Amino acid sequence: MSDGLFQTTPIVTGISAVANDYDGFVIDTAGVLHDGSALYPGAADALRHLKARGKKICLLTNQARRAASAAKLLDDMGLERDLYDHLLTSGELAHQWLRHRPEEWLRDLGTACLHFGPIRDAELIHGLDMEAVDQPYLAQFVLCTGFNEVEDVLADYEEVFRICISKDLPLLCADPERWRLAGGERLHAAGAMARRYGELGGDVEYCGLPFADLYERCFDVLKIADRSRILAIGDNLTTDIAGAGGVGIDSVLVTGGIHREEFGTVWGKPPTEERLHCIVAATPKPPCAALAAFVW
């Protein structure tokens, strides 16, 4: 399914419809494998079928967690580790960026960090020569991984954002997703916070999809020379699908995830062809197929 330009995005009933065309699969987690708290029915079985056919699988997620923590989360949901070969996260990449400082923007950040996000995400700076501070006047930069508390809303951060920006604190966003799934409910995420910080005049850098760094790391671990034999599977047009298009690989869109309200559907039920094509038409490299759910 790699050849030619797709005028439409066909709706298929399972990943088996395209599996033979690819050797490697880059698969998002939230919205594809699980709803934020539990595995979707059939997801583990679909992975099992791919592995039985010798396919290489790299799970890839915009999630502000170290890779080991993300793997543990999947363990707790009951996903067996032998169903995938690799797991990469935007949080792990952010940790590596802060450790090695590969670019000038990162080298200029300093070491005093004001963190916006759940306490668990502070693991991104654990083991680094850095100091976590709790006031903007003590900080040299801001690390954004999400809301501090589950009940927080974006407006709660407006005042502190303005204070940080007045002090010229750059912000590193370790999860570019503007929305996240929690038990199937769609909530604002770290990407929405970073976007607002930028709108207010702040200096923002994003770590994760749709930017190419994470996909390039997938290619490194998959070791498949012909990228036309690699397929990305995701539920987010602006991150998973746009990111895949940006690095020139095919993608499949799962419609029952983060965009299900726009598609006017629910998990497991496909949208109408008209609604699907209307929504994906603006995507520079549209997905080569759509799935209502990631099943075999």
Side-chain angles (χ1 to χ4, degrees):
M1 298 189 66
S2 312
D3 298 331
L5 295 174
F6 287 85
Q7 301 303 313
T8 61
T9 297
I11 299 172
V12 297
T13 57
I15 199 62
S16 58
V18 299
N20 289 339
D21 296 325
Y22 303 94
D23 302 317
F25 292 77
V26 179
I27 303 175
D28 183 29
T29 57
V32 176
L33 300 182
H34 63 80
D35 67 358
S37 59
L39 293 179
Y40 288 127
D45 184 61
L47 292 177
R48 194 170 289 111
H49 276 285
L50 290 174
K51 290 296 293 179
R53 288 158 176 76
K55 308 300 184 180
K56 294 183 178 179
I57 296 174
C58 181
L59 303 186
L60 179 67
T61 177
N62 273 345
Q63 191 174 26
R65 291 175 181 250
R66 301 288 305 276
S69 292
K72 177 62 165 56
L73 182 64
L74 294 174
D75 290 345
D76 293 343
M77 293 183 189
L79 188 70
E80 301 162 23
R81 293 202 184 192
D82 61 359
L83 295 182
Y84 57 93
D85 299 293
H86 310 281
L87 171 61
L88 302 178
T89 70
S90 58
E92 183 66 40
L93 181 58
H95 174 82
Q96 298 301 327
W97 277 8
L98 291 171
R99 178 181 293 277
H100 300 293
R101 310 285 178 128
E103 298 177 2
E104 183 178 358
W105 190 90
L106 293 165
R107 290 192 290 272
D108 289 342
L109 287 181
T111 59
C113 162
L114 177 64
H115 175 217
F116 294 131
I119 293 175
R120 65 165 187 265
D121 295 346
E123 68 171 0
L124 298 192
I125 63 171
H126 289 172
L128 303 180
D129 184 19
M130 295 180 59
E131 176 189 9
V133 299
D134 59 3
Q135 297 294 331
Y137 74 91
L138 296 172
Q140 293 172 303
F141 77 99
V142 175
L143 175 65
C144 179
T145 67
F147 294 124
N148 294 341
E149 304 293 341
V150 174
E151 63 272 14
D152 287 355
V153 296
L154 195 56
D156 295 335
Y157 294 81
E158 191 85 0
E159 182 178 356
V160 69
F161 279 179
R162 292 182 184 277
I163 294 171
C164 290
I165 292 166
S166 73
K167 297 185 177 302
D168 295 322
L169 300 183
L171 181 147
L172 175 62
C173 178
D175 177 358
E177 299 284 349
R178 292 165 61 183
W179 299 96
R180 64 183 179 89
L181 286 175
E185 184 180 359
R186 194 168 89 156
L187 304 173
H188 269 125
M193 300 174 71
R195 180 183 177 90
R196 181 56 182 159
Y197 198 86
E199 290 173 347
L200 293 171
D203 181 15
V204 177
E205 182 71 31
Y206 293 90
C207 180
L209 302 176
F211 308 102
D213 307 79
L214 271 180
Y215 272 120
E216 292 293 339
R217 295 211 172 196
C218 286
F219 301 149
D220 290 343
V221 299
L222 286 173
K223 295 181 169 56
I224 297 173
D226 183 358
R227 293 189 181 183
S228 70
R229 301 291 299 177
I230 300 175
L231 179 71
I233 303 172
D235 70 315
N236 194 319
L237 285 165
T238 61
T239 54
D240 310 319
I241 306 304
V247 295
I249 64 173
D250 289 347
S251 64
V252 166
L253 174 69
V254 175
T255 61
I258 204 74
H259 292 301
R260 66 183 181 277
E261 291 182 7
E262 292 103 304
F263 286 123
T265 188
V266 294
W267 182 90
K269 181 180 179 181
T272 65
E273 291 187 1
E274 181 180 6
R275 178 72 67 92
L276 173 66
H277 300 324
C278 178
I279 292 175
V280 304
T283 307
K285 182 177 170 59
C288 62
L291 284 168
F294 178 64
V295 296
W296 180 246

